[in-house]
Amino acid sequence: MTAQEKSDKKKRMYRDNWIAVLIGPFKLVIPTLSYAILYPLMISRTSVEVVGVWSLIASIITFIGVADIGFSQLLTRDAGPDRPQYLQEVHADYVTAERSYIAVLLVLILIFAVTKKYILASVQGVYSVTALEISVILVIAGSIIQLIGKLDAAILSARHDNYTVQIVTAVAPVFTYSAAIICTLLRRPIEGLAVGTVLSSVVTIVLYRVRLSRAHGEWSASAVSLSVKESVNRFFFLTRRGWYLYSSSIGMLIRGPVYRLIIASILGLQAVAVFDIAMRITQTVRELIASGFSVLYPTFAYLYRSGERANIIELIQVSLMVLLPFGAALLGLLIGASEPILSFWLGNVPGELVPATRVLAIWQIITLANVPFWYLLQATYNEKIAACSIWAHTAAIFLVIPLSAVYNFTVVDLMVYWTATSVVTQGLIYFYVQWKLSLLWDSILRPRILVLIVSVLLFPALSYGISMSGPDIRQTALCLGSATVVFILMMAATVMRPVSQFLKTGQIVRGL
């Protein structure tokens, strides 16, 4: 590859990065609007307990995500356009992963058929058991189809076609939530979730494969034939290679569902609903900012293989300049205005919901700061370290069970516990980025970044203080709006020049 070809490829990669980042928030529009309708509709047509059941059934999708075994992440890291000589090997991995998911589907349906009486015992009397049985099977099938679609998305991402993945991800939820809303109007929200999950997954996989066949002919040309025996042998090889990617994925995917189950066992379904709503609204705001940044994973992998340390540092800095100001502004505003927002949205809500939302908003701000470092560890083959961080937090979550025997937790206590233990375990990410890669201090010990970090720490505290200043809603809204505008202007003055230059040129900006 000539120097010019390499330069052109890098420009295309950066251009795809920022198109994906800009498009990323749009994939939250449909889910956000849908949940804004669904939650009050479910509460009015059914009950808060049914929202808890919805949350538990929806968690099946997350639990099945652990069957990925790191396969999609391996494909994203290994199928880059700078590695054409390995494309047939990657295709063999792809076929093996697809077959393994089909096997998982059959096993899960069999397990559910045998154990459904025990699994659904806790929701008897809240919802029709027959409807739940059918819905669970459909959600399992839709989740497996979704996993297969992730393999196609991984290939597109690896080949710097991330914006296609973002567009499809934005369009597919139309099918999920249309079915859910229609069925909720008919007082059948769980069936709507199930049918919508299947429809969305099928549409997703069809769109991905059409894009691969039309725009990435080299991928189709690398197709290989594998016997069942070869797939089995390769499966174990893939599992060994992707074990720590798999482990970190498991930790990420099961934390929320496990915590929901723990909360349900300690405080009941209404507490699960409080956690689910608080997590949903704060996670939506966070993902509005961070959703497109998964593109950093294949980009860091490419830069690391190319030995471009300076470009990695600068990409980290520009990422932080986008993530932190926008995240702190929106989540900080949510901290200050959570009470009127939730009251307007849901009407009468449990008293714990407002403080629970504020605590989880703080947690979401904290996690935004580690986004580039998280992807960096995985892209540089340090996924073992990332896995340790996630599992440290997951282990801390399980400790709630014995602790609940000696301490009467409230919902807000459990949110504070979640956040505090997360802060401790996330410190492992920063520690290892510096120890293994020597990239932490070189990335953040710059005037712009330090000003950014201090401002991001202060604004949420100021927002909360304003919200507690008095009963005059108009005065509070005026002060909160003014503080937000001032914060945004300060952040714009700090980051506008390097970020706009990056977007304009499509290249890494020097001398931040």
Side-chain angles (χ1 to χ4, degrees), residues 79-142:
D82 59 318
R83 311 178 82 230
Q85 67 274 28
Y86 298 106
L87 209 52
Q88 282 194 326
E89 280 294 306
V90 175
H91 214 127
D93 292 343
Y94 170 92
V95 172
T96 299
E98 184 179 40
R99 289 176 178 176
S100 71
Y101 294 158
I102 294 172
V104 169
L105 171 62
L106 299 176
V107 170
L108 287 177
I109 290 177
L110 178 61
I111 291 173
F112 178 70
V114 173
T115 63
K116 61 185 178 182
K117 180 173 25 174
Y118 307 101
I119 292 174
L120 300 178
S122 63
V123 296
Q124 287 184 354
V126 178
Y127 209 86
S128 165
V129 173
T130 302
L132 287 174
E133 289 175 359
I134 296 172
S135 298
V136 168
I137 291 173
L138 288 175
V139 169
I140 290 172

Side-chain angles (χ1 to χ4, degrees), residues 347-361:
N348 294 325
V349 296
E352 303 94 337
L353 183 56
V354 170
T357 300
R358 285 171 171 161
V359 173
L360 289 183

Side-chain angles (χ1 to χ4, degrees), residues 5-57:
E5 288 174 336
K6 188 174 183 180
S7 175
D8 291 343
K9 182 176 290 187
K10 190 180 297 183
K11 287 181 180 180
R12 287 195 300 270
M13 178 178 66
Y14 292 143
R15 188 159 51 247
D16 176 64
N17 283 359
W18 290 105
I19 292 174
V21 168
L22 293 173
I23 292 174
F26 289 98
K27 70 183 183 183
L28 299 175
V29 172
I30 293 170
T32 300
L33 293 176
S34 298
Y35 272 107
I37 298 170
L38 269 172
Y39 276 136
L41 192 59
M42 267 196 282
I43 292 171
S44 65
R45 291 298 180 105
T46 55
S47 66
V48 173
E49 285 75 18
V50 171
V51 177
V53 175
W54 168 288
S55 176
L56 293 175
I57 299 298

Side-chain angles (χ1 to χ4, degrees), residues 113-263:
V114 173
T115 63
K116 61 185 178 182
K117 180 173 25 174
Y118 307 101
I119 292 174
L120 300 178
S122 63
V123 296
Q124 287 184 354
V126 178
Y127 209 86
S128 165
V129 173
T130 302
L132 287 174
E133 289 175 359
I134 296 172
S135 298
V136 168
I137 291 173
L138 288 175
V139 169
I140 290 172
S143 301
I144 294 297
I145 298 170
Q146 191 177 98
L147 274 182
I148 294 173
K150 284 178 65 178
L151 300 176
D152 298 294
I155 301 302
L156 289 167
S157 295
R159 307 195 72 76
H160 308 307
D161 200 351
N162 292 277
Y163 72 90
T164 297
V165 176
Q166 300 296 334
I167 292 172
V168 172
T169 308
V171 171
V174 170
F175 299 90
T176 304
Y177 295 109
S178 295
I181 291 171
I182 291 170
C183 289
T184 300
L185 288 169
L186 301 174
R187 302 182 190 277
R188 295 291 181 183
I190 308 302
E191 293 93 319
L193 171 65
V195 172
T197 300
V198 173
L199 287 175
S200 175
S201 300
V202 170
V203 169
T204 296
I205 200 169
V206 169
L207 292 176
Y208 283 154
R209 293 189 174 182
V210 168
R211 177 63 178 177
L212 280 169
S213 64
R214 291 183 177 179
H216 301 279
E218 68 280 7
W219 171 248
S220 300
S222 68
V224 295
S225 297
L226 290 180
S227 66
V228 174
K229 182 178 179 180
E230 287 173 324
S231 290
V232 171
N233 292 336
R234 184 170 285 271
F235 171 81
F236 291 108
F237 174 61
L238 268 178
T239 303
R240 288 194 300 271
R241 284 171 51 209
W243 171 248
Y244 288 111
L245 288 169
Y246 175 44
S247 179
S248 62
S249 294
I250 292 176
M252 287 281 285
L253 289 169
I254 73 170
R255 284 186 309 177
V258 165
Y259 213 48
R260 285 173 172 83
L261 293 173
I262 291 172
I263 292 171

